[in-house]
Amino acid sequence: MNEDEVIRALGALAQETRLRIFRMLVVAGPQGVLPGHMAEQLGTSPTAISFHLKELVHAGLASSERDGRHLIYRASFDRMNGLLGFLTAHCCEGQPCEVNAVVCTDCS
């Protein structure tokens, strides 16, 4: 991915509802999700879902396929992986990165 594509993708994800929709698409995997199901699960209108899906498709993070009367939306996993690859390219100057998990001992 180039910087313009990364900026478009991150911009699409920088909105609460779109981020939730994208995560739902990722969880669904290749099976995909119908917009009506997304609206029901997220407690928002089908019109709002359509608007946000259009933005995710425009950013290349989702795709749609017609199945009879329905549109099935899926996450574009290659694009998601490209975004992650761009963000982590040259991480730690090419050295293996160790992530030290912080354990909260005061959390209940």
Side-chain angles (χ1 to χ4, degrees):
M1 293 180 76
N2 63 44
E3 283 188 7
D4 289 337
E5 293 169 326
V6 169
I7 291 167
R8 191 175 315 121
L10 291 175
L13 295 173
Q15 198 283 336
E16 181 182 356
T17 302
R18 280 195 292 273
L19 180 60
R20 292 174 71 202
I21 290 170
F22 184 72
R23 292 184 70 201
M24 184 179 284
L25 293 173
V26 169
V27 168
Q31 176 181 331
V33 185
L34 296 171
H37 178 73
M38 288 183 244
E40 185 179 297
Q41 292 297 308
L42 298 176
T44 190
S45 72
T47 304
I49 293 293
S50 294
F51 170 78
H52 291 301
L53 284 167
K54 180 186 70 133
E55 293 298 314
L56 290 170
V57 169
H58 178 71
L61 294 170
S63 63
S64 65
E65 178 184 355
R66 183 161 293 284
D67 182 22
R69 301 180 352 208
H70 303 284
L71 279 176
I72 299 171
Y73 284 86
R74 295 177 178 89
S76 297
F77 292 100
D78 58 335
R79 189 69 152 198
M80 178 187 76
N81 290 331
L83 176 60
L84 292 172
F86 181 92
L87 293 173
T88 58
H90 312 295
C91 179
C92 302
E93 296 182 354
Q95 301 300 314
C97 297
E98 288 189 36
V99 177
N100 296 322
V102 176
V103 178
C104 180
T105 57
D106 296 328
C107 300
S108 50

